[in-house]
Amino acid sequence: MGIIEKQPIDYTQHPRVNSDDPIPPRPRPQVPAHVIRSDDEAIAVARRLAADFAPGAALRDREGLLPIAEIDAYSQSGLWGINIPKAYGGPGVSYRTLARVIAILAAADPSIAQITQNHLAINGHIDLDGTEEQKKEFFGWVLSGLRFGNAFSELNSKNVAAFETRISFDGDEAVVNGEKFYTTGALLSHVIPIVAVDAQEQGYLVFAERDTPGITVTNNWSSFGQRTTASGSVRIDNVRVPKSRLLPVAAFDRPTIAGPVSQIIQAAIDAGIARGAIEDAIAFIKTQSRPWIDSGKETAGEDPFTIAAIGDLKIKLHAAEALLGIAGEAIDVGLENPTEETIADATVKTAEAKVLTTEIAILATNKLFELAGTRSTLAKHNLDRHWRNARAHTLHDPVRWKFFHVGNFYLNGINPPRHPWS
């Protein structure tokens, strides 16, 4: 449950949220990361890490402490390389399994789970668009324990797909200038893939090492939810990167699993938030809530309306998790055989999962307080972090458009668009 334990905090080792102070790079790992060998091992490792991460989640949220030690343990566990193909030394687990891994971790601490999101999506882009040399080099980085952050979105652009960060070329180097926001995980990363466009509006992923001169990372993320995701800003001033570390953004020019992969990780985070909230609600009701006076019961857990409400939440959670699994299987099919039909199917099924995981995340985190009672709102429990996390994270890509694209597919036979938010 979410009761905060008092423990000494070394604030010099934990950059606070909503700060404009530049943060230096994290050290690189001294030993290579473990390599996961099977789907079953991936799930087992995720469960072990979740058990380690859960006890400190409420404290980290309350104090705005980045999960530095936790992320180090997480990336060294091998889970950051689970979608690296076997041909390049990775386990190549199924995307059904990858979604389960993220949901398990998100139930413990959704901020930690979200920090992985862009890294895993980048792994997929390397596989789809990288040259053989790039795949060997970039996947080698990951298997050694290096982490990708991101510098994709921009705060003041016209929409999420409009990029003002520019790239030019000088001999064998690319020169990048711009500023990014919502840079989840960049602060804790070792390599930051930067989205930039050239004079012809061709987009690139520019793989810049975190300590490259001209890169400044700040933890000025001030959202009320997902507070410890390191989602602040990256400023890019005349950053020079070898051309060999440029990856064209081409995965959406043809049918690929790039969009569904990005989306299923988001949906899995929401499913985990819902599960964590329901588990905390049940624990609180059993141990601290009082029965309502009209129930005539001795304990809150005997209240028939509470019992029915918990049943409703569990049913809806299981439905969302089942659809998450179905979406993962569709992505696996699209990976093996990427056609207009298989990718559209994967995109639609993932959109359906995103709708249900969004709905149960918001419902469960709201119902927690209704069922657990007034004392569950006390600050010492910090149970409101579940609702804040759900409300903030589910804004990532609006589900109102999921309904439209799913309906348009089934009614009019129109495939959903191909981009990272679909």
Side-chain angles (χ1 to χ4, degrees):
M1 198 162 46
I3 295 178
I4 300 168
E5 297 181 2
K6 298 289 185 180
Q7 52 184 284
I9 301 167
D10 182 357
Y11 288 104
T12 65
Q13 299 300 314
H14 290 268
R16 302 299 297 270
V17 297
N18 197 19
S19 168
D20 290 322
D21 295 333
I23 306 298
R26 295 292 302 156
R28 295 190 173 213
Q30 297 299 305
V31 297
H34 173 68
V35 177
I36 300 288
R37 293 301 179 190
S38 68
D39 289 55
D40 288 343
E41 185 187 2
I43 292 168
V45 170
R47 286 173 174 160
R48 173 178 59 79
L49 288 175
D52 292 339
F53 297 161
L59 178 67
R60 288 190 295 272
D61 173 88
R62 186 193 68 181
E63 299 293 336
L65 303 175
L66 296 181
I68 293 174
E70 291 78 10
I71 290 297
D72 285 345
Y74 184 12
S75 58
Q76 284 295 108
S77 75
L79 289 178
W80 290 53
I82 55 175
N83 61 336
I84 291 177
K86 293 179 180 179
Y88 299 94
V93 305
S94 70
Y95 276 97
R96 180 187 180 101
T97 292
L98 187 147
R100 283 190 65 190
V101 164
I102 294 299
I104 289 167
L105 291 163
D109 187 332
S111 287
I112 290 176
Q114 188 181 344
I115 289 172
T116 340
Q117 193 271 334
N118 292 297
H119 173 100
L120 294 171
I122 289 295
N123 286 350
H125 276 280
I126 294 168
D127 186 38
L128 292 171
D129 289 333
T131 64
E132 281 301 304
E133 292 75 15
Q134 288 174 325
K135 291 178 184 180
K136 291 174 183 177
E137 180 179 19
F138 299 166
F139 288 150
W141 288 346
V142 175
L143 294 174
S144 75
L146 300 192
R147 299 185 290 259
F148 296 134
N150 93 83
F152 304 160
S153 297
E154 299 176 7
L155 185 61
N156 300 314
S157 57
K158 182 178 180 180
N159 58 52
V160 294
F163 300 109
E164 297 175 0
T165 299
R166 312 304 296 188
I167 186 170
S168 59
F169 301 98
D170 182 12
D172 292 332
E173 292 184 320
V175 183
V176 188
N177 284 278
E179 187 164 2
K180 301 290 187 172
F181 196 62
Y182 308 111
T183 59
T184 301
L187 190 151
L188 301 176
S189 71
H190 303 108
V191 177
I192 304 178
I194 303 166
V195 173
V197 294
D198 64 14
Q200 289 73 45
E201 299 301 319
Q202 168 64 50
Y204 294 90
L205 273 174
V206 181
F207 286 74
E209 297 188 39
R210 171 73 167 81
D211 57 0
T212 302
I215 288 181
T216 305
V217 183
T218 54
N219 194 28
N220 59 341
W221 175 241
S222 62
S223 172
F224 61 66
Q226 295 295 92
R227 298 181 64 215
T228 60
T229 54
S231 294
S233 298
V234 174
R235 192 170 70 246
I236 307 131
D237 296 317
N238 290 316
V239 169
R240 289 179 170 268
V241 178
K243 283 184 178 179
S244 62
R245 293 184 177 177
L246 268 59
L247 196 73
V249 179
F252 303 106
D253 298 338
R254 65 190 192 281
T256 73
I257 62 169
V261 166
S262 179
Q263 286 295 292
I264 199 171
I265 300 171
Q266 306 289 5
I269 293 168
D270 296 333
I273 293 172
R275 179 168 284 278
I278 293 170
E279 289 174 353
D280 271 2
I282 291 172
F284 200 97
I285 291 165
K286 285 183 174 180
T287 60
Q288 300 196 53
S289 297
R290 296 183 296 182
W292 183 242
I293 187 172
D294 295 332
S295 71
K297 302 298 182 181
E298 290 296 316
T299 68
E302 296 174 285
D303 185 316
F305 294 108
T306 300
I307 293 171
I310 291 295
D312 179 60
L313 291 176
K314 279 288 190 177
I315 291 167
K316 288 174 178 172
L317 172 66
H318 294 159
E321 290 175 333
L323 198 45
L324 195 65
I326 290 170
E329 291 174 355
I331 293 172
D332 291 330
V333 171
L335 176 63
E336 292 298 319
N337 181 32
T339 66
E340 289 284 355
E341 291 74 21
T342 60
I343 297 305
D345 182 63
T347 304
V348 167
K349 285 185 168 63
T350 305
E352 293 172 2
K354 185 67 168 65
V355 168
L356 290 195
T357 57
T358 293
E359 290 181 345
I360 187 57
I362 294 173
L363 177 64
T365 56
N366 186 45
K367 277 283 187 178
L368 185 161
F369 302 103
E370 176 187 332
L371 301 177
T374 305
R375 64 182 62 184
S376 67
T377 69
L378 297 179
K380 67 180 181 179
H381 304 301
N382 198 25
L383 292 172
D384 60 295
R385 75 185 190 280
H386 294 300
W387 183 88
R388 290 186 285 103
N389 289 336
R391 186 61 283 178
H393 187 263
T394 54
L395 299 175
H396 189 276
D397 36 87
V399 294
R400 62 184 180 274
W401 276 95
K402 306 296 186 192
F403 288 106
F404 172 81
H405 290 311
V406 170
N408 216 16
F409 175 79
Y410 289 119
L411 182 62
N412 298 315
I414 297 176
N415 291 343
R418 292 198 297 262
H419 54 61
W421 307 276
S422 179

